[in-house]
Amino acid sequence: MRDKTPANSPEAGDRLIRAGAIVFFLGALATLVTVAPLFLGTNPFPTYMFGLSMLMGVGFLLAAAGLLRSAAAGRRRARAVRP
């Protein structure tokens, strides 16, 4: 079975993990932009920027869901191999 699967083929959950990482880093960037005026002494950004900071949590949840999906697929594969 291993000889028929290419080494770099995407597995279950890989896309969710990548999407979660991208969304997390966008949220981290929004957090840095939102917090910067507090240190620089300038006018704060509008309230919706604080909402964009919540993307960090959304990205984390997406990545966690991808990891759980990948683990479940691995368990299913292991059960199929066992007699």
Side-chain angles (χ1 to χ4, degrees):
M1 183 110 174
R2 188 75 173 150
D3 59 341
K4 296 179 184 174
T5 305
N8 60 355
S9 66
E11 301 217 3
D14 282 353
R15 287 186 183 153
L16 275 175
I17 294 170
R18 286 188 185 126
I22 291 169
V23 171
F24 180 86
F25 285 119
L26 288 174
L29 181 66
T31 300
L32 288 174
V33 168
T34 303
V35 174
L38 298 174
F39 294 113
L40 299 175
T42 60
N43 292 334
F45 284 101
T47 308
Y48 70 86
M49 285 299 288
F50 292 100
L52 287 177
S53 297
M54 298 299 164
L55 287 177
M56 286 177 68
V58 172
F60 182 77
L61 289 175
L62 279 173
L67 286 173
L68 290 175
R69 186 173 178 188
S70 179
R75 273 188 258 125
R76 272 185 255 118
R77 254 193 321 264
R79 271 191 227 126
V81 171
R82 264 193 282 168

